[in-house]
Amino acid sequence: MISSLYSWQQDAWQQLQALRTRMPHAILFHGAQGIGKADFIEHFAQALLCEDVRADGHACGACASCGWFSQGNHPDYRRVRPEALEDEVADDGEDGDGAKKSAKTKTPSKDIKIEQIRNLADFMNISTHRQGLRVVVLYPAEALNTPASNALLKTLEEPPPGTVFLLASNSLDRLLPTILSRCRKFALPMPSHEQALTWLKVQGLNDADSWLREQGGAPLAALAQSESGGREETEQLLQVLANPGVEAALKAADKLQKAPLAPLVASLQRWLYDVFSVKLSGTIRYYPRHRRELEALAGRINVSRLMAAIKAANERRAIAEHPLSPKLFLEDMLLDYASSCQ
């Protein structure tokens, strides 16, 4: 059982209770990555299955259903997510058997596959354990590959009675319009900077303000990034972005070729956003500690070149997980950026 909601989710929880009188068969929770959507929907799933739900809509935490849920073996609950995410949680000791991963030789998939959707068929076609609801939690919804999306769509078109789907997405534009049309959409808010900063300080994160800003104000993303050990690589990249040049780009590509590429591309996207924002309005969102360098770049970069660089970074983000050559990928990215800044 999740002990409590995050402070920034309290208002959303109250709004959600209004839906329980006429419960939709599928709710799609959406919002920025790293704000606690997965925790929120699992908290709601437990409340839907609880046999003695509290007046405020929270699960009681004491009934048999809550006991099964907290142990991860509730018969009327299923959670669907990518293998890679399951392995990450198992490694943290939160769920599953960490020993299983060491026995695997295949790289775990980052997709939700059609087999995972098909495996729900037996679950949805048998009676519920205590004549209540059955709940399926699925996240992130954009991880559904095309066959899995089509299989889920068929289920959402003809939902089994007594079944509620709770989905979470970081990016609605990556989902099929037909799936969007069959779900009740529910937005989850980004916390205020003060709320997020307070929470991070309670977690004991040093330099919390800097981490938070670099993750766009998403506190869970900031905490995860701080624990990933990638700060050194990010700082090396920022040095090149602040002082672009051919030689610096080639050296950085050589040093960073073994680092995860997706976070590096995301850092470039945030950096370019700041350059654009400084140029238009003088404001900085992600890297205020680099104001001097950002202002210098904004003063000399052509708007059309800047827009082209932003478009190129967005395109690279889509393929960063599977580059043919990490070193060549980084060289191309950083040389292209350096050219844009001339």
Side-chain angles (χ1 to χ4, degrees):
M1 174 182 175
I2 301 167
S3 59
S4 62
L5 298 174
Y6 300 109
S7 60
W8 56 88
Q9 296 176 335
Q10 298 298 331
D11 289 345
W13 180 262
Q14 294 303 319
Q15 296 168 15
L16 182 61
Q17 302 317 301
L19 296 180
R20 296 187 68 165
T21 55
R22 297 185 62 182
M23 192 68 192
H25 71 277
I27 306 177
L28 176 57
F29 298 87
H30 61 96
Q33 185 171 0
I35 60 172
K37 294 187 299 299
D39 290 342
F40 186 91
I41 64 173
E42 294 204 22
H43 190 96
F44 187 47
Q46 180 173 357
L48 290 177
L49 294 167
C50 178
E51 298 171 7
D52 189 22
V53 66
R54 289 162 31 184
D56 57 7
H58 295 285
C60 71
C63 67
S65 178
C66 285
W68 294 330
F69 194 95
S70 64
Q71 294 167 17
N73 57 9
H74 197 294
D76 298 327
Y77 171 75
R78 292 292 184 274
R79 181 174 59 194
V80 181
R81 55 188 184 178
E83 292 175 1
L85 190 55
E86 292 285 354
D87 280 353
E88 285 178 12
V89 174
D91 282 348
D92 290 339
E94 296 175 7
D95 185 53
D97 181 359
K100 292 181 180 179
K101 186 174 188 296
S102 62
K104 294 180 180 179
T105 57
K106 186 174 68 172
T107 301
S109 174
K110 295 182 179 180
D111 291 343
I112 294 176
K113 301 179 179 179
I114 188 171
E115 292 80 7
Q116 293 173 271
I117 305 301
R118 287 175 173 168
N119 288 341
L120 295 173
D122 290 342
F123 166 69
M124 293 186 294
N125 290 326
I126 61 174
S127 299
T128 58
H129 192 73
R130 297 210 178 187
Q131 290 72 52
L133 293 172
R134 64 172 68 85
V135 180
V136 177
V137 161
L138 185 151
Y139 62 85
E142 57 270 20
L144 287 157
N145 62 24
T146 300
S149 292
N150 292 330
L152 178 64
L153 178 60
K154 292 179 180 178
T155 301
L156 295 179
E157 287 173 338
E158 299 179 5
T163 302
V164 176
F165 283 83
L166 305 178
L167 294 78
S169 173
N170 304 318
S171 180
L172 292 183
D173 59 0
R174 293 175 60 189
L175 302 181
L176 291 177
T178 43
I179 287 182
L180 293 176
S181 68
R182 285 163 176 78
C183 297
R184 175 69 177 267
K185 291 182 280 296
F186 190 96
L188 288 176
M190 176 76 76
S192 69
H193 188 77
E194 292 72 21
Q195 286 176 317
L197 196 58
T198 298
W199 183 81
L200 286 172
K201 289 180 177 178
V202 170
Q203 311 311 308
L205 179 60
N206 295 323
D207 197 15
D209 184 75
S210 178
W211 283 110
L212 183 62
R213 290 183 184 279
E214 291 181 15
Q215 295 302 316
L220 274 71
L223 184 62
Q225 186 66 19
S226 73
E227 295 172 345
S228 69
R231 189 62 178 263
E232 182 178 348
E233 289 84 355
T234 301
E235 289 301 319
Q236 290 179 20
L237 177 68
L238 292 178
Q239 290 177 17
V240 178
L241 299 182
N243 301 282
V246 173
E247 184 177 353
L250 295 176
K251 287 182 178 179
D254 185 58
K255 291 180 180 178
L256 296 173
Q257 61 180 304
K258 294 183 179 180
L261 295 181
L264 296 178
V265 180
S267 294
L268 172 62
Q269 289 176 299
R270 290 190 284 266
W271 179 269
L272 290 170
Y273 175 93
D274 273 353
V275 174
F276 187 73
S277 182
V278 168
K279 195 169 187 68
L280 291 187
S281 63
T283 59
I284 297 176
R285 179 180 182 184
Y286 297 106
Y287 301 109
R289 59 194 174 94
H290 287 286
R291 174 174 288 276
R292 182 172 58 84
E293 295 91 341
L294 289 165
E295 288 178 343
L297 287 168
R300 72 172 187 258
I301 193 169
N302 179 276
V303 172
S304 61
R305 283 177 173 266
L306 178 56
M307 296 303 295
I310 291 172
K311 180 182 178 182
N314 293 342
E315 292 171 349
R316 288 188 175 94
R317 184 70 175 84
I319 61 172
E321 300 287 356
H322 306 287
L324 294 177
S325 167
K327 183 178 180 179
L328 292 178
F329 179 94
L330 287 168
E331 286 181 353
D332 181 66
M333 182 179 80
L334 295 176
L335 289 172
D336 187 37
Y337 168 78
S339 175
S340 299
C341 294
Q342 292 178 356

